[in-house]
Amino acid sequence: MNRTTIEDALFPGCPIRNILARISDKWSLLTIYTLDKSGGNAIRFKELQREIPDISQKMLTVT
């Protein structure tokens, strides 16, 4: 599935449903949580990868 073309079958033009579909997967939520946990400080890619040990480099890049 291409993450940029997620559309709801019932409401294909609904922007809220599109946003929720994009951020509701496991890795997106963990990434957002980890970035929030940094307290607004800049965090480098490798640091982020260390904070989320189960995520692959490819999946983190996509997320």
Side-chain angles (χ1 to χ4, degrees):
M1 175 177 8
N2 185 351
R3 292 176 53 129
T4 60
T5 58
I6 296 172
E7 290 186 353
D8 189 329
L10 193 54
F11 302 104
C14 181
I16 295 171
R17 289 179 182 267
N18 189 24
I19 290 169
L20 287 174
R22 295 187 81 193
I23 67 167
S24 65
D25 67 79
K26 173 173 91 170
W27 297 121
S28 293
L29 290 175
L30 283 171
T31 304
I32 291 168
Y33 172 75
T34 305
L35 289 170
D36 181 56
K37 198 170 69 171
S38 72
N41 299 324
I43 184 168
R44 295 188 177 271
F45 184 86
K46 284 293 186 184
E47 294 174 55
L48 190 57
Q49 193 174 18
R50 271 185 249 128
E51 291 289 321
I52 310 171
D54 297 337
I55 195 168
S56 68
Q57 182 175 348
K58 180 180 179 181
M59 195 66 219
L60 184 56
T61 301
V62 169
T63 304

